[in-house]
Amino acid sequence: MDSDLLESVLGLEEKFYHEGYQVGLADGARAGYTEGSVFAVEKGFAQALEVGKLYGKALVWNQRFASRTVDRSGSSSGTKPTLGGDDLPAIHTDLCYGMPEIRGESRVARNIQLLLGLVDPATLSLENTEDAVSDMEERLKGAQLKTKLIQRSLGESDDSPVSDASSSNRESRFQGDGSGSIEDISSMRIRH
C-alpha cells in the first residue's frame, strides 16, 4: 500500500505537467489566433496606406505631365491627357497647374505609367490568399523603387514626415545625395 501511495505522489508532477501543457496549448491557440488577426489587419492597413500614397503621387505626376497638353482653360491642344490609360480622364485641378510641369521625356512618362499600373487600386487583389498577399508585396516593392527612380529623375526629394526621434539625424541623412548607398561618399567626414 505504501508503494502505491508513493507512486501516485511521484506521478503527480508528470500529471500536472501534461495537464498544464494541454491547457496552455488551448489558450495559446486562442491568443495566437487573436494576435495573428490583429497583426494581419495592421500589416494590411500599412500596405494599403503606402499603396494609396504612391498612387496619389503617381496621379499628381501624371497630371503634371498631362498639363503640358492642356491650357489653363481646360481645352486640350491636340491630345487628351489621361491617367494611366485611355479610359480614365485627366483630373483638372488648379493645384497641379501651379506645380512645375514635367518635361516630355519618354522615360519619365513611361515610368509614371508603370507606377500607375503597379498601384492602381482597381487591379489590386484584396483577397486573403497566399498568392494575393505575395502579389501585393511584390507590387508594393516595385512601386517604391519606381517612385524613387521618378523622384531622382525629376530632382525631387521624398517629403515623407520624419518622426521627432529621427529629426536630429535629418541633416546628416541629406548631406550626400540621399541614397544611403555605398557609393554615396559625399557625407563622409575627412579625417586629418
Side-chain angles (χ1 to χ4, degrees), residues 12-27:
L12 271 178
E13 181 180 2
E14 189 71 23
K15 178 184 168 199
F16 287 144
Y17 172 79
H18 286 295
E19 184 180 323
Y21 179 80
Q22 294 302 323
V23 170
L25 189 63
D27 189 44

Side-chain angles (χ1 to χ4, degrees), residues 67-79:
S67 68
R68 297 187 75 217
T69 60
V70 178
D71 63 9
R72 303 242 185 250
S73 65
S75 63
S76 64
S77 59
T79 61

